[in-house]
Amino acid sequence: MRTPAKVAVLLSVLGAPLAAQQASVVTTTQGLTFDDPTEVGLEAYTMVTSSFLGSHPITPWLSAGAGVRFARASMTPTAAATVDLASLSSTEVFAVARRGRVQLRGSFAPAVGSTRLSSEHLVLSSLAGSEVLPFPVRGWGRGNGVALDATVRVGSALELLASVRRHGWYTPIAGDPLEYRLGPEVRLGARLFTAPSALSLVEVGLVMSRNGADQNKRQDVFDPGTRARLHVSGIFPIGRATFLLRGDLYHRGMGRAFEPVETIELVPRSVLGGGNDTRARTIYSATLETRAPVGPVSMILTASGQVGQGAGESTLAWGGLATEIEFRPPLPGRWFIVPSGRVFTGRIAPLRGYESSVAAWEVSGVLRWEGR
């Protein structure tokens, strides 16, 4: 079996949808509590999200789709009342074109949901955007965005990736004259595949990204720095089970504030509510996932660990269990239900001199349809 065919088979084993027609609905509930709330200024944080994603072929080489996500979050600051925010958090329409070894994906994300947030809601939103904590929502109240992504297959085992993103203007704070725009982003990357045996696969990938400066009223205010993500993963079958091992290294270079940080501390690039931190950050993580058939269902067991250094130091570990169940209603296509849950615990230091233990839980459900 040639390497591209092995890749398709192994991705199918791990649950990546390969059907041209596909749709999914996902609902996730998460909760966090802190052992020493005074150190982080927060006692608890919860988030509930619901999302829909679907795509449909238009021609043999062109497909289109859309996605939308609703989120409700609540935080309980120390010595303050609970703050709630609920609205659409993101919407996207996209088109994907494939010809030979080239794939292009264009997308437009209109500004939706809550905008002109209060200072309390903006802090709540910035918590969701933390690079340390695993929230599916990256915040509310952003401006419009457009993106173009390109993937080129070179030979049988190499992919080259490139993308550009552009953001629109928006007013993040209610009653404040701040007019903000996130800087444009360029990403370049590559993925290398190799198949040591007929049913195993090793992948190495590197993506570099660079943002232009964020602006307030067309004046540069913050440069978030260069980011790089390196991952190494392997898929190996043992008996009837399939094992996925993955290691990631994420590095964000030092940022630069063109104005005093106090004047821009409530805009979206935050470190657990710490504002626009100019310090560098490195996060190391490792994951072991096991998938095995148990009767008519597939059981998926996951264990992960993460260590963060620099801005927002952290040490986290989590484990999870999911069950993929295929059922056959009197409808076309293949239908799957995937209930799952996970817990994690560890230590987090969002700002210099502040540290607290953190514990969290997550339950989710996925309904997925794949056309034939």
Side-chain angles (χ1 to χ4, degrees), residues 70-112:
F70 176 88
R72 178 184 180 89
S74 174
M75 70 175 184
T76 305
T78 54
T82 298
V83 179
D84 295 288
L85 178 61
S87 79
L88 290 174
S89 62
S90 62
T91 299
E92 181 189 44
V93 292
F94 60 88
V96 180
R98 300 181 182 90
R99 277 297 181 98
R101 296 176 176 268
V102 179
Q103 174 178 296
L104 297 177
R105 184 184 190 275
S107 62
F108 171 64
V112 296

Side-chain angles (χ1 to χ4, degrees), residues 150-154 158-162 189-191:
T151 303
V152 179
R153 177 63 65 92
V154 180
L158 176 65
E159 279 188 351
L160 302 179
L161 318 170
R191 295 195 301 171

Side-chain angles (χ1 to χ4, degrees), residues 42 44-46 73-77 81-84 120-121 123-124 127:
L42 192 66
Y45 191 97
T46 61
S74 174
M75 70 175 184
T76 305
T82 298
V83 179
D84 295 288
E120 294 84 1
H121 284 155
V123 171
L124 184 148
L127 287 169

Side-chain angles (χ1 to χ4, degrees), residues 20-23 52-58 62-68 91-97 105-110:
Q21 294 175 295
Q22 51 194 302
F52 167 81
L53 177 66
S55 66
H56 184 80
I58 299 173
L62 178 66
S63 63
V68 62
T91 299
E92 181 189 44
V93 292
F94 60 88
V96 180
R105 184 184 190 275
S107 62
F108 171 64

Side-chain angles (χ1 to χ4, degrees), residues 10-321:
L10 292 167
L11 289 177
S12 178
V13 168
L14 289 177
L18 299 178
Q21 294 175 295
Q22 51 194 302
S24 63
V25 178
V26 182
T27 298
T28 302
T29 302
Q30 298 167 298
L32 285 84
T33 56
F34 298 91
D35 181 63
D36 194 343
T38 58
E39 292 293 284
V40 295
L42 192 66
E43 294 183 4
Y45 191 97
T46 61
M47 179 181 292
V48 179
T49 63
S50 296
S51 62
F52 167 81
L53 177 66
S55 66
H56 184 80
I58 299 173
T59 72
W61 55 272
L62 178 66
S63 63
V68 62
R69 174 175 282 147
F70 176 88
R72 178 184 180 89
S74 174
M75 70 175 184
T76 305
T78 54
T82 298
V83 179
D84 295 288
L85 178 61
S87 79
L88 290 174
S89 62
S90 62
T91 299
E92 181 189 44
V93 292
F94 60 88
V96 180
R98 300 181 182 90
R99 277 297 181 98
R101 296 176 176 268
V102 179
Q103 174 178 296
L104 297 177
R105 184 184 190 275
S107 62
F108 171 64
V112 296
S114 298
T115 58
R116 300 178 181 270
L117 303 176
S118 67
S119 58
E120 294 84 1
H121 284 155
L122 198 58
V123 171
L124 184 148
S125 177
S126 69
L127 287 169
S130 169
E131 294 173 330
V132 175
L133 301 174
F135 291 118
V137 169
R138 311 316 298 171
W140 290 262
R142 307 292 180 89
N144 296 324
V146 294
L148 179 64
D149 302 90
T151 303
V152 179
R153 177 63 65 92
V154 180
S156 62
L158 176 65
E159 279 188 351
L160 302 179
L161 318 170
S163 69
V164 292
R165 283 166 170 77
R166 182 79 174 178
H167 304 278
W169 293 95
Y170 68 107
T171 302
I173 306 174
D176 191 287
L178 184 70
E179 296 178 7
Y180 208 78
R181 180 169 70 179
L182 300 175
E185 180 182 9
V186 176
R187 297 181 187 178
L188 298 174
R191 295 195 301 171
L192 179 65
F193 304 92
T194 183
S197 65
L199 289 175
S200 61
L201 176 71
V202 176
E203 175 188 330
V204 180
L206 175 65
V207 176
M208 303 286 295
S209 63
R210 176 66 185 169
N211 285 76
D214 295 356
Q215 292 187 326
N216 173 31
K217 297 180 179 178
R218 304 191 182 280
Q219 297 295 317
D220 292 349
V221 293
F222 184 73
D223 180 348
T226 300
R227 286 163 292 168
R229 185 180 296 275
L230 172 68
H231 77 265
V232 179
S233 63
I235 304 172
F236 306 97
I238 300 178
R240 299 182 64 194
T242 300
F243 292 83
L244 167 65
L245 287 169
R246 180 180 173 110
D248 288 83
L249 185 155
Y250 169 78
H251 178 76
R252 188 191 70 202
M254 292 183 63
R256 176 188 177 192
F258 296 91
E259 296 183 9
V261 173
E262 292 79 6
T263 67
I264 55 171
E265 63 180 356
L266 289 178
V267 294
R269 303 188 189 279
S270 72
V271 183
L272 197 58
N276 283 322
D277 201 311
T278 58
R279 296 174 295 165
R281 163 181 286 163
T282 302
I283 298 175
Y284 307 89
S285 61
T287 299
L288 169 62
E289 179 178 298
T290 305
R291 175 184 289 256
V294 179
V297 305
S298 292
M299 303 295 292
I300 307 164
L301 182 65
T302 304
S304 300
Q306 172 182 301
V307 175
Q309 298 178 343
E313 294 183 1
S314 62
T315 302
L316 302 172
W318 59 89
L321 176 65

